[in-house]
Amino acid sequence: LKAEVKKMKITKTGTKGLDLIKKFEGFRSLPYLCPAKVPTIGFGATYYPNGSKVTMNDKPITEAVATELLASMIVGYEKSVDSFCRDDINQNQFDALVSFCYNLGSGNLKISGLLKKVNTNPNDETIKAEFMKWVKAGGRTLPGLVKRREAESTLYFTK
């Protein structure tokens, strides 16, 4: 008798996912306004581990502190992807969906056609088109969001 191998459920973002988020967020030591006009610092952090929001008057932070901020912020997005998505998605799929959530918020994943398709068939090729529906900010298509969604969908379908 062969022992049944139980596949581990993915619940933490891997290196590829973290690298993708860091690449697209970019590191900024000083507070800045993101395209949605929200005060942001580090790798796209809009709040601190204690729950307080980033303000334009905050002190500069180091890249090490920004990485810690990212690690603490990402936990909530990992929990969202874990709770919203079927349990058999692979690491690259999980990472791409966490990056999507980190950028757009868990609420947008929850209401998206992207999530419906992932939960119906995580290998459905039309999932790429669902990523690409999320490239606008303030009603305008942003080239940076187009590149990010392309990178997320490429990671999602990487075997």
Side-chain angles (χ1 to χ4, degrees):
L1 282 173
K2 269 200 214 166
E4 204 177 305
V5 177
K6 188 171 179 342
K7 200 173 165 202
M8 287 298 294
K9 185 171 98 158
I10 311 295
T11 59
K12 292 280 166 223
T13 309
T15 306
K16 288 180 189 170
L18 289 170
D19 288 349
L20 188 144
I21 292 168
K22 283 180 160 186
K23 175 185 173 189
F24 282 98
E25 293 295 340
F27 168 68
R28 307 267 289 271
S29 64
L30 293 167
Y32 63 97
L33 291 176
C34 75
K37 305 287 182 247
V38 178
T40 306
I41 199 165
F43 293 109
T46 56
Y47 58 88
Y48 296 102
N50 67 6
S52 66
K53 289 181 183 282
V54 173
T55 75
M56 294 306 292
N57 300 318
D58 294 350
K59 297 187 319 245
I61 62 171
T62 64
E63 194 164 343
V65 169
T67 299
E68 288 172 25
L69 257 179
L70 173 61
S72 74
M73 276 184 70
I74 208 167
V75 172
Y77 300 110
E78 291 169 337
K79 286 180 179 163
S80 293
V81 171
D82 182 33
S83 68
F84 300 162
C85 296
R86 55 193 286 164
D87 290 345
D88 61 349
I89 62 173
N90 67 37
Q91 184 71 60
N92 289 335
Q93 291 167 332
F94 185 88
D95 288 5
L97 293 168
V98 170
S99 173
F100 180 93
C101 278
Y102 189 82
N103 183 228
L104 293 162
S106 298
N108 282 320
L109 176 63
K110 193 172 192 174
I111 63 164
S112 70
L114 172 62
L115 179 64
K116 287 180 190 70
K117 289 196 177 200
V118 166
N119 284 333
T120 301
N121 173 7
N123 300 309
D124 180 346
E125 288 293 324
T126 64
I127 287 171
K128 178 175 175 46
E130 294 300 322
F131 274 104
M132 299 313 295
K133 289 178 180 177
W134 297 87
V135 296
K136 292 187 186 308
R140 293 192 348 260
T141 298
L142 298 184
L145 289 180
V146 171
K147 286 187 179 98
R148 185 174 187 148
R149 297 291 97 81
E150 285 172 346
E152 287 167 349
S153 66
T154 297
L155 176 60
Y156 183 93
F157 284 107
T158 299
K159 296 291 178 214

